Structure formats: structure tokens, C-alpha cells
Amino acid sequence: MEQPNQSYCRGSQDKTLLAMTIGQAFDRTAAQYAEGEALVVRHQQRRYTWRQLAETVDLHARAFLALGMQTGDRLGIWAPNCAEWLICQVASAKLGVILVNINPAYRRSELDYVLKQSGCQWLVCAGSFKTSDYHAMVQALKPDLRGLISLDSSPPPEFVPWSQLSALGAGVPAEQLHSRQASLHVDQPVNIQYTSGTTGFPKGATLSHHNILNNGYMVGESLGLTAQDRLVIPVPLYHCFGMVMGNLGCITHGTTMIYPNDGFDPLLTLSAVAEEKATGLYGVPTMFIAMLDHPRRAEFQLSSLRTGIMAGATCPIEVMRRVIHELHMGEVQIAYGMTETSPVSLQTGADDDIERRVTTVGRTQPQLETKIIDDAGNTVARGVIGELCTRGYSVMLGYWNNPEGTREAIDDAGWMHTGDLATMDEQGYVCIAGRNKDMIIRGGENVYPRELEEFFFTHPAVADVQIIGIPDERYGEEIVAWIRFHPGHVANELELLSWCKDRIAHFKTPRHFKFVDEFPMTVTGKIQKFRMREISIEELREQST
């Protein structure tokens, strides 16, 4: 029972959870809105009605059966936003195949780790994206997989071209797909998403049909999505933001999904909103700022917009005002969550005032519970800072093949410990006061210093390294690496940047380097990262004046 003075809140029980698999929910929507527009992929110049999308999904699911994919197999997908990403997402879900999301910015060592840790048997990948040659990286790794599928029209011989899958699928009876789909249940794992680990290596958050289907549904309910809505999704599909809040939010409501490009481009996103008469738009604050400040924004008629979600970082009040007035998004909402909670656990409402939308992350989502606790595990009073915890349908099954990490994150009572510091007010609105460890959020991407520090330790010249985040107007935060070299060794900034280029994702690469003989420490020998932040901010300020 809720105690009014305690930081505990139970979300509304008015909305019923969906007791179905992703495949069942997709089929229901496709039947209900068969001739409605389901998907628009502007950079590929493709459009699908729900009927056409369902036919394509089923054909490719049958092709996966022809290749021998079994329930519980892991299928990696390493590609930017495209029609094939969504087709893989739904087709694999219909077979009980677990989709492993791989960040398109990953380099060889990161790809190698994820494929091995998840035990991937299959990989679907693009030929290339931006500066990444996916085929070359896969060929260099020679991963132990049962099959490779390429989205490229003429891939190397060891890859099956995506274009051949239709013929493969045509040879498998539809009854075989229906039989497999009917054998699945809602609590089976359907997705593994890697979240940068505080202990150095990413952990694979394992999510079920029940987890992510219902989270997409509840987010869509809060936005008031219907089959008349058209949602522009410029955020990456490999994140929960794109594939759950975007794709599954639309699938559960018959809403049209619109991908403006393979990666975020402010001009192409504005163009998609205007030309497709979109009613909703997703993004992190840096994306909205880039669109608002684009020199050609005034050319586009954006008045069809009404709603959307801003997430991934705190939104400055001036940006929120501009989104509401200049982008016509009067019902824009803020969402908070983490991959381990499918992702959203708190969300503002369409009628919350602007103050609530910039100072809080909203209230507890329907069918979930949140509480804020002290170090001893006791629920704190309202207004008191403590650790935010979430419990309910959205909490992951666990970290893939990592029982110890799972036990550290989810307690015996089923509470997911977020590691974020927060307060809860009398109305149940939650304000995030600080973050787990020293996590950096750069342009909506989570970067854990420990993971980066362990990476830099592999450089032959580096004796010690400390990674910190400092404020940045464009990305919210930027990464600074403090480095101490081994005696007799040295490397300059250019050499370190070049070394990072083919080994780690671009968003993890430090923007600034500082070479030191020692780090600021307490008398007991503990590193003072707060002092390092102060020094870095001051030195960069002096350089810019």
C-alpha cells in the first residue's frame, strides 16, 4: 500500500497489458489495417501497406526457416536504419529467434565481443556504412557462424545476398511458419541489446516479447497514437528508442513508421516531416537542436506535427519551448528508462506543463512500480535523494550468460536497481539528480568510462588512463582522456585518435586528451575525478578565450 510521504509510486492499472507475442500483435494489426500505410523508407524509396509488409515479413521468416534457424538461435543484425532491419525484427520474432542488436558504429573488436558473448549463429549485415566496411571486418574476424547474410546486392561469396531470400522463402510452406509461431510464448527471449558495462565489458540485456511489446504499446498509449498517426523515426533502430518505442509503438497502434534516412540527418528529417505530413517525431535533444537551428528549416511546413518523444538527455527549457512553438509539438513528452527496462519506466503526459517537461522525467508508467531507496535499501521520504528502482513487466529477463551481473542489477524482490540518483515529489514526478558511477551521455549515447579505460590500457604506450565527461553545448557532454605514459614511451593526440579509429565506435572516441605524470588524488590514494573535471573545464575555457 502506498505511503503518501514515501518515495514509492505504482503506475495506473487502467491499461491492460497485451498477452501476445510480437508476431501475434503484428498479424492482428496487419489484418485490421491491411490497406493502411505501414512503413515509409525514404532513402530506399520504399512504401508498404500493412498487407504488403506482412507478406514480406512472412516470406523472409520462411526463408530463415529454410536456412535452418531454430527457436532460441541468435541472429545478429549489424546495419543502419532500413526496411530490412524491421523485416528482420518481426520475422525473427515470429520464429522465436533472438535478435541481437549490433551498433552500426561498432568496429572489429566490439563486433567480435558481441558475436562471441551472445553465441550468435547468424549475422545479417550491411555492406558498409559511413566509414565502416562491414564485409571486410567480418572477413578479417572469420567468426564461427552458421551463416552470413548481406544486404549488399553483390557481396563476397561467403555471404548469402538478401535478394536471394525471397526465393528461399517461397520453397517453405506457410504452415511451417504458422506451426513455429504457434509454439512460442510471451515470456521467451526475443532480443538482446548490449549496454556498456560499468565493469568494462558490455552486458547483453535479454528482453522478452512481453517486455518490449508492452513497453512499445504503453509509450504509444501515452502519446495517443492511432492508425491516423504518422511517426518519423530518425533515431537508430538498434536502440530501444527506435525498435521498441518506434517500431513496436507503431505496430501496436497501426501507426505509420517513417524512416527519413539510414542515419540522422536534420535536413532529411525536416523534409520527411513536411512531405509525409507526420504527426509525431522522435529524437534526443541534440537532434531537435540540429533541426531547429538548420538554416533551411523555414522552408518546411511542419504544422502537421502534434506529438513525439524527447529522451536520452536532459532537455534545456529554451529547447523545449522552441520544440513546442516552432515545431508545433504541443504534446511532446519526455521519457526516461534504460535498456534493462525495455526501456521506458517514467514518462511525462501530453498535458503536463513545460516546467514538468524540463525539470522531471515524468511519472511511473502504467503497470509498473518505482521507488527511491537509501544505501540500506529503505524507501526514502518524498523529496529526498536516493537510488531509483523499477519493478514490473518491463524488467529484463537478465543479462545474457551473465548471472552475476544479473544478480547485481535485479534484487530478490524483482526490483531493477538503475544506479541513477533521483527524487520524487508529492505528485509522483521524478527528477534525476545524478547518474550511475561516472556514466557520460554524449549525444544520446551512453559511454561508460571503465569500458573506455580498459580499452586504452591495451595501447602499448599507456600506463594509466582516466576518462571523464565535461559539459558540451552540442552533444550535452564530451569525453576527456587523462593519460599517463609508461617510462620511455609517448604518443601524441593524433596518434591516439588514429589508433581509436578502427577499434572503437566514433562516439566513444575522446574529444580531448590531457597527458600527465600523475592524477589528482585524495590522501588515501583515491582518484579525484571531480577535480579532473574542474581542471579540464578551466583549461578548455582558457584555450577558447
Side-chain angles (χ1 to χ4, degrees):
M1 187 171 172
E2 289 188 35
Q3 300 293 322
N5 62 332
Q6 283 198 325
S7 296
Y8 167 87
C9 192
R10 185 181 183 209
S12 162
Q13 305 298 298
D14 295 344
K15 297 189 186 301
T16 306
L17 293 170
L18 302 176
M20 57 181 72
T21 63
I22 288 169
Q24 289 170 329
F26 177 82
D27 288 346
R28 182 179 74 168
T29 295
Q32 189 173 355
Y33 304 109
E35 304 312 319
E37 197 161 49
L39 177 67
V40 177
V41 188
R42 288 173 60 87
H43 59 287
Q44 293 178 297
Q45 298 181 315
R46 293 196 209 166
R47 291 177 182 270
Y48 300 82
T49 63
W50 286 104
R51 186 196 305 281
Q52 291 166 337
L53 186 60
E55 288 170 354
T56 302
V57 163
D58 283 4
L59 188 60
H60 286 84
R62 287 155 60 194
F64 290 167
L65 283 172
L67 291 170
M69 292 190 196
Q70 302 298 316
T71 300
D73 278 358
R74 272 79 69 207
L75 166 67
I77 180 159
W78 193 27
N81 291 11
C82 58
E84 292 85 354
W85 212 109
L86 174 67
I87 293 163
C88 274
Q89 180 184 352
V90 184
S92 59
K94 283 187 164 222
L95 301 178
V97 170
I98 302 168
L99 191 70
V100 179
N101 299 11
I102 303 173
N103 188 327
Y106 271 5
R107 296 294 182 163
R108 202 165 63 209
S109 64
E110 297 156 317
L111 173 68
D112 187 42
Y113 174 79
V114 165
L115 291 178
K116 286 177 177 171
Q117 204 282 329
S118 65
C120 255
Q121 291 99 335
W122 308 87
L123 177 66
V124 172
C125 73
S128 62
F129 179 58
K130 295 185 177 176
T131 61
S132 296
D133 184 337
Y134 291 170
H135 288 158
M137 282 190 263
V138 172
Q139 286 173 313
L141 281 179
K142 295 184 171 60
D144 183 19
L145 299 172
R146 281 161 54 194
L148 294 163
I149 300 166
S150 174
L151 303 183
D152 199 85
S153 55
S154 51
E158 59 265 50
F159 293 82
V160 175
W162 179 270
S163 57
Q164 288 183 13
L165 295 185
S166 296
L168 274 177
V172 174
E175 292 72 30
Q176 206 172 318
L177 168 59
H178 298 153
S179 174
R180 173 71 71 85
Q181 194 175 333
S183 73
L184 306 179
H185 63 79
V186 299
D187 292 317
Q188 284 176 300
V190 72
N191 186 220
I192 299 174
Q193 299 201 30
Y194 281 84
T195 176
S196 293
T198 54
T199 53
F201 292 102
K203 299 188 187 85
T206 308
L207 304 166
S208 68
H209 293 264
H210 192 65
N211 288 151
I212 58 177
L213 181 71
N214 278 295
N215 204 258
Y217 172 67
M218 291 298 183
V219 168
E221 286 291 285
S222 183
L223 293 175
L225 293 183
T226 70
Q228 280 68 55
D229 280 302
R230 299 172 64 78
L231 180 67
V232 171
I233 307 172
V235 295
L237 297 178
Y238 75 88
H239 264 173
C240 274
F241 202 171
M243 72 160 285
V244 178
M245 299 158 70
N247 290 351
L248 295 180
C250 290
I251 285 169
T252 50
H253 291 87
T255 300
T256 306
M257 299 165 271
I258 301 167
Y259 304 160
N261 194 32
D262 52 4
F264 175 65
D265 179 286
L267 186 62
L268 294 176
T269 304
L270 289 166
S271 174
V273 169
E275 292 175 19
E276 300 294 338
K277 294 183 169 50
T279 57
L281 173 62
Y282 282 0
V284 299
T286 52
M287 291 181 175
F288 282 102
I289 291 166
M291 287 183 276
L292 286 164
D293 292 343
H294 197 280
R296 292 182 56 191
R297 178 175 59 82
E299 296 175 22
F300 300 100
Q301 173 55 259
L302 309 173
S303 60
S304 59
L305 283 174
R306 68 167 183 88
T307 193
I309 287 179
M310 205 182 310
T314 306
C315 177
I317 192 163
E318 282 310 311
V319 175
M320 179 59 79
R321 284 200 180 103
R322 292 184 66 194
V323 167
I324 290 170
H325 297 297
E326 297 174 36
L327 298 184
H328 308 280
M329 293 172 62
E331 298 172 29
V332 65
Q333 299 179 25
I334 298 292
Y336 164 88
M338 57 196 305
T339 307
E340 292 90 336
T341 56
S342 301
V344 178
S345 50
L346 295 147
Q347 195 168 345
T348 59
D351 54 355
D352 281 336
D353 61 37
I354 192 167
E355 188 72 16
R356 296 278 194 205
R357 288 189 251 185
V358 294
T359 59
T360 81
V361 289
R363 291 188 280 193
T364 308
Q365 251 213 353
Q367 301 289 350
L368 294 177
E369 298 171 274
T370 53
K371 67 175 180 177
I372 296 173
I373 61 171
D374 60 20
D375 290 341
N378 301 309
T379 305
V380 301
R382 299 268 171 141
V384 175
I385 290 180
E387 183 188 14
L388 178 64
C389 300
T390 300
R391 182 167 68 178
Y393 77 84
S394 70
V395 175
M396 66 175 177
L397 299 177
Y399 291 119
W400 184 264
N401 204 21
N402 187 350
E404 185 183 344
T406 303
R407 282 193 298 273
E408 289 172 2
I410 305 171
D411 66 26
D412 291 342
W415 288 97
M416 176 77 208
H417 290 245
T418 69
D420 285 347
L421 300 174
T423 58
M424 183 183 290
D425 70 14
E426 295 301 325
Q427 286 74 46
Y429 287 89
V430 170
C431 176
I432 303 298
R435 286 200 301 276
N436 186 3
K437 309 295 182 186
D438 299 299
M439 188 177 80
I440 300 162
I441 299 184
R442 182 193 181 276
E445 296 278 8
N446 293 353
V447 179
Y448 284 89
R450 181 68 185 276
E451 181 189 359
L452 259 188
E453 287 161 2
E454 293 198 12
F455 167 74
F456 274 103
F457 275 127
T458 64
H459 190 285
V462 174
D464 202 354
V465 56
Q466 296 293 326
I467 301 291
I468 58 170
I470 60 170
D472 180 78
E473 283 187 15
R474 183 177 179 190
Y475 291 106
E477 285 183 284
E478 264 300 358
I479 303 166
V480 183
W482 284 48
I483 290 177
R484 180 170 63 83
F485 294 115
H486 289 292
H489 289 72
V490 71
N492 61 35
E493 187 170 322
L494 200 60
E495 288 168 336
L496 290 171
L497 286 171
S498 176
W499 187 74
C500 289
K501 188 176 179 185
D502 292 323
R503 291 178 172 87
I504 58 169
H506 66 87
F507 64 83
K508 298 178 188 174
T509 302
R511 172 80 181 278
H512 309 285
F513 290 87
K514 182 173 174 64
F515 305 122
V516 296
D517 295 323
E518 57 184 18
F519 303 111
M521 289 191 182
T522 65
V523 289
T524 57
K526 287 187 177 179
I527 300 284
Q528 293 180 302
K529 284 200 170 182
F530 75 91
R531 183 73 189 115
M532 293 163 60
R533 270 189 209 95
E534 291 171 354
I535 293 168
S536 294
I537 290 167
E538 184 58 35
E539 287 182 351
L540 288 166
R541 188 182 293 127
E542 288 173 4
Q543 288 172 21
S544 64
T545 55

